[in-house]
Amino acid sequence: MEIGDYGEYETAWCPGCGNFPILDAVKSAMAGAGIAPHEVLFVSGIGQAAKAPHYLNVNFFNGLHGRAIPVATGAKLANPELKVIVESGDGCTYGEGGNHFLAALRRNLDLTLIVHDNQIYGLTKGQASPTSDEGFVTKAQPEGVCQEPFHPLATAVVLHGGFVARSFSGMPDHMTEMIRLGIAHKGFSLIDILQPCVSFNKVNTFGWYKKRCYELLEEYDPTDWESAMKTAMEWGEKIPVGVLYKNDRPDYAARLSVLQDGPLVGRKPDPGIVGQILSRYA
């Protein structure tokens, strides 16, 4: 596959937005993995990041705010052959979709979740998001955020998420590799990508992330859960990027008896069984 197979479209993003390199990395990762546009489904919610699949030549479902994961879950269970990728922002995923995020981690369904994490709501002009740092001042929080930020990677590790990674939009090769590895992982994979919002976040800028992000050493063992917890909580002057944690626990579909006879796609409904089910509610 070539990057050009995924199309080139005019966007509604601000010049300098971190969404641009993330979009390029997604294309590169899919091309590198040999995934054809018809073999993949992208699902997103609402927000500037959620527009990313609009600019890809792929199957695409743009749903309600925070509800991308349930749609992706249904699609994947019905058609396991489909590569399903959820792509949205930190507000959509960790705020409105927070409970779905937790459920996906526990289930370990074979999905890839790419989160554009700019620590702010960009589409609605700059309110604090779940990942905004304490004390962060916005128009909606003029006295500063007065609560602890949500730590998505630590939450994913504590729930034994299958694949937990972080990258930064200013590290294109690293970002592409994290997405490629996440797509290849059998089970739930989270790739949280730090990115600047040039219009509404004047604190966590490109330079702010560039100064702090560092790659995990080759000796780092992502299967060591206790070490991963400590690494996932590292935030501030230094921010680790890479695969923080991974495991090989069975994915959700492998534990559902209804799927042991094959995928739901292509099966013909049995009117007799349907009638029996309906008769219970008559």
Side-chain angles (χ1 to χ4, degrees):
M1 300 304 301
E2 302 291 337
I3 292 177
D5 294 328
Y6 305 103
E8 188 73 33
Y9 302 93
E10 182 179 353
T11 78
W13 295 329
C14 304
C17 177
N19 288 333
F20 289 104
I22 297 176
L23 179 62
D24 290 341
V26 168
K27 292 179 181 178
S28 296
M30 289 197 298
I35 301 172
H38 72 275
E39 296 175 323
V40 62
L41 168 68
F42 275 77
V43 186
S44 68
I46 298 297
Q48 293 291 0
K51 295 177 182 175
H54 291 212
Y55 312 131
L56 288 168
N57 175 35
V58 294
N59 300 302
F60 167 46
F61 186 95
N62 189 185
L64 300 175
H65 207 358
R67 307 298 181 240
I69 290 177
V71 174
T73 298
K76 184 65 181 181
L77 290 176
N79 186 1
E81 299 301 317
L82 192 63
K83 185 65 69 178
V84 181
I85 299 174
V86 177
E87 186 172 6
S88 224
D90 48 298
C92 184
T93 305
Y94 304 138
E96 285 80 5
N99 192 41
H100 302 305
F101 174 61
L102 300 180
L105 288 165
R106 294 173 58 214
R107 289 174 177 148
N108 197 37
L109 193 72
D110 189 19
L111 297 176
T112 299
L113 172 61
I114 300 172
V115 182
H116 299 219
D117 190 350
N118 57 14
Q119 300 182 256
I120 203 162
Y121 282 91
L123 182 69
T124 48
K125 315 305 182 193
Q127 298 87 356
S129 85
T131 56
S132 298
D133 291 321
E134 188 173 3
F136 183 68
V137 176
T138 74
K139 292 178 181 177
Q141 289 86 19
E143 296 181 358
V145 175
C146 57
Q147 54 194 346
E148 283 287 322
F150 179 67
H151 295 285
L153 277 75
T155 301
V157 174
V158 81
L159 291 175
H160 295 269
F163 179 96
V164 183
R166 174 191 284 136
S167 193
F168 163 47
S169 64
M171 304 167 69
D173 292 341
H174 182 271
M175 186 168 43
T176 300
E177 179 64 4
M178 292 300 104
I179 296 172
R180 187 190 68 79
L181 291 174
I183 291 174
H185 178 79
K186 180 65 173 175
F188 186 76
S189 57
L190 165 68
I191 303 102
D192 184 88
I193 302 178
L194 302 173
Q195 62 152 120
C197 174
V198 295
S199 295
F200 299 108
N201 190 337
K202 304 300 184 183
V203 175
N204 309 110
T205 61
F206 181 90
W208 190 94
Y209 291 122
K210 188 73 173 179
K211 178 182 176 183
R212 290 165 171 78
C213 290
Y214 75 93
E215 292 189 48
L216 292 170
L217 298 174
E218 289 187 8
E219 305 88 80
Y220 179 82
D221 179 8
T223 66
D224 183 337
W225 183 85
E226 291 186 357
S227 175
M229 275 303 303
K230 186 181 296 183
T231 304
M233 288 304 295
E234 187 177 356
W235 181 267
E237 291 305 311
K238 297 184 70 177
I239 302 173
V241 299
V243 181
L244 276 66
Y245 179 67
K246 65 178 182 180
N247 61 53
D248 295 322
R249 65 188 176 104
D251 78 291
Y252 185 65
R255 291 173 282 171
L256 292 181
S257 60
V258 70
L259 298 179
Q260 302 313 306
D261 295 330
L264 300 179
V265 168
R267 286 197 204 178
K268 294 183 179 179
D270 185 328
I273 294 178
V274 173
Q276 292 176 19
I277 294 173
L278 292 177
S279 66
R280 300 175 189 173
Y281 304 96

